[in-house]
Amino acid sequence: MLIGVPKEIKNHEYRVGLTPDSVREFVNHGHAVIVETNAGIGIGCLDGQYEAAGATILGTAAEIFARADMVVKVKEPQAHERKMLREDQILFTYLHLAPDAAQTRDLVDSGAVCVAYETVTSAQGGLPLLAPMSQVAGRMAIQAGAHCLEKAHGGAGMLLGGVPGVAPAKVTIIGGGVVGENAIQMALGMGADVTVLDRNVEVLNALNNRFGAALKTLYSSASALESAVFVSDLVVGGVLVTGAAAPKLVTRAMLKGMRPGSVLVDVAIDQGGCFETSHATTHTDPTFIIDDIVHYCVANMPGAVPRTSTYALNIATLPFGLQLADKGYRQALQDNPHLLQGLNVYHGQITYQAVAHDQGYAF
Ligand code: NAD
């Protein structure tokens, strides 16, 4: 199969669909790979590295879309890219179609076979192609929070881990899923005093088994949450209620009970945020202060570390991409029910129920 990798064109998107390492895997499986010139520049991978891995470099996205049997990307195709998709071509990327009528219509009209990273499932019931970005965001949340606690950034002027003779900062993490677990690991690693709250007791059990007595676990009742937030120097919001906007767990009134200079990092901002005072920010202007509390609410945290994020994403997507290439989409989708869950659009039909429902298509 001929695999095509265009350069991402969405604003401030520096990731790329395949790393040179992944290209080499496709080539080792007997496939050919064409890569748009400078596609990997944002993660420090030059055309020569792709060529050394066995790819052919082409000058324009138009050549990639015109020739490839399967186009591998990161972000949903932009309007200009959608015009270049064709009947029977495989598109393998994040799509997030449910709220995007224009993209849904164009993909239906294209006749392409569109497999969305975000709806591919795993035998454990998770979303394995979304998880790597939550891992990155969870780890970054502590890095960002530590930075915000510095005086120059409006924080209380505290070192997360303290020093011998001086107590560490208190960190509360709301939501113990993928974001939460990764934030806990970083915060404990930096020597902070860490508490996690979740509504799922099984999640708390698993975290307790993993981190032991170093981690305090609390059932996320309104009272427990309020008490934990009031004594915290850093609060990380990593909750998710599948398919719904994030619940507002920290209200504006609660900010008055926190110490001035404390920090809120709202990772759940891409679902509307779990703090009442949150609004989405960008990497160029990531924070704002309300009632003396520093807020960090960047909606695409992994975008700050495109190299790590691309490699993490590729580890997760590669096995599925290879199945599509090795077997052809018909056989690969028939053989793997988890990959089939990723199929959102197939030859002019919406094949994912939630998208069909939200966009008013027959299913
Ligand atoms: P997850 O499903 O793995 O974990 C969410 C956890 O929240 C679950 O354990 C759930 O039980 C818990 N929860 C739900 N309601 C709760 C409540 N009231 N109190 C306490 N816990 C509660 O999800 P995840 O992968 O960790 O993602 C978390 C959020 O982070 C999502 O909104 C996701 O979209 C977002 N995210 C943001 C970025 C970013 O760049 N800002 C990047 C990746 C993920």
Side-chain angles (χ1 to χ4, degrees):
M1 187 180 277
L2 182 59
I3 320 296
V5 184
K7 184 170 163 53
E8 292 294 318
I9 56 171
K10 193 166 180 177
N11 201 17
H12 289 303
E13 181 55 63
Y14 301 104
R15 292 174 292 177
V16 59
L18 294 182
T19 61
D21 291 352
S22 296
V23 167
R24 190 168 167 189
E25 296 293 327
F26 277 100
V27 171
N28 286 348
H29 278 238
H31 305 294
V33 184
I34 46 178
V35 177
E36 186 180 347
T37 185
N38 288 330
I41 202 93
I43 63 162
C45 291
L46 306 178
D47 288 352
Q49 290 169 268
Y50 281 98
E51 283 173 325
T56 301
I57 302 295
L58 296 180
T60 63
E63 292 168 86
I64 304 282
F65 278 85
R67 291 177 52 185
D69 301 309
M70 173 161 71
V71 174
V72 181
K73 280 176 48 61
V74 179
K75 295 306 281 187
E76 72 280 3
Q78 304 301 291
H80 169 67
E81 295 173 311
R82 301 199 293 264
K83 289 198 191 87
M84 297 189 281
L85 286 168
R86 53 169 210 274
E87 178 79 32
D88 212 37
Q89 191 170 42
I90 308 170
L91 173 66
F92 190 42
T93 189
Y94 285 120
L95 291 177
H96 297 287
L97 285 179
D100 191 342
Q103 190 199 169
T104 306
R105 193 181 51 244
D106 287 352
L107 295 188
V108 166
D109 290 348
S110 73
V113 174
C114 307
V115 181
Y117 293 162
E118 71 273 10
T119 61
V120 172
T121 53
S122 72
Q124 293 72 36
L127 300 170
L129 308 193
L130 261 193
M133 296 306 101
S134 288
Q135 291 171 336
V136 170
R139 289 174 184 226
M140 268 191 74
I142 300 303
Q143 235 172 262
H147 194 63
C148 294
L149 273 173
E150 292 173 17
K151 198 74 188 164
H153 301 112
M158 289 185 79
L159 190 59
L160 215 51
V163 287
V166 181
K170 286 190 191 304
V171 176
T172 291
I173 295 163
I174 311 175
V178 181
V179 165
E181 183 175 9
N182 281 274
I184 291 165
Q185 188 183 342
M186 287 299 114
L188 287 176
M190 289 172 83
D193 176 355
V194 186
T195 301
V196 63
L197 294 105
D198 203 289
R199 282 196 321 185
N200 183 337
V201 177
E202 282 174 29
V203 166
L204 295 178
N205 274 335
L207 292 171
N208 183 64
N209 289 340
R210 176 171 175 196
F211 295 106
L215 174 69
K216 299 179 193 73
T217 59
L218 288 175
Y219 181 77
S220 183
S221 66
S223 318
L225 193 127
E226 198 171 72
S227 317
V229 165
F230 286 168
V231 297
S232 293
D233 303 295
L234 167 61
V235 179
V236 174
V239 301
L240 178 63
V241 179
T242 312
K248 303 292 177 208
L249 299 174
V250 176
T251 62
R252 175 146 197 179
M254 285 165 70
L255 301 193
K256 302 268 187 235
M258 297 178 72
R259 270 194 300 274
S262 298
V263 174
L264 298 177
V265 175
D266 199 344
V267 184
I269 190 67
D270 62 341
Q271 297 291 329
C274 60
F275 309 139
E276 190 184 354
T277 42
S278 294
H279 64 75
T281 59
T282 61
H283 289 294
T284 33
D285 192 10
T287 61
F288 57 93
I289 297 177
I290 294 179
D291 292 344
D292 296 325
I293 306 298
V294 184
H295 292 60
Y296 176 101
C297 306
V298 175
N300 66 329
M301 294 172 72
V305 287
R307 188 174 166 92
T308 301
S309 298
T310 297
Y311 276 88
L313 183 61
N314 267 236
I315 291 167
T317 57
L318 183 65
F320 295 100
L322 286 174
Q323 285 168 39
L324 287 166
D326 291 349
K327 297 180 175 184
Y329 65 78
R330 285 190 180 83
Q331 196 63 46
L333 292 165
Q334 196 175 317
D335 289 353
N336 186 341
H338 297 295
L339 182 59
L340 184 61
Q341 282 297 316
L343 187 66
N344 277 226
V345 185
Y346 185 80
H347 294 297
Q349 297 285 320
I350 302 284
T351 50
Y352 196 77
Q353 192 166 14
V355 173
H357 176 267
D358 286 9
Q359 295 292 337
Y361 284 81
F363 181 73

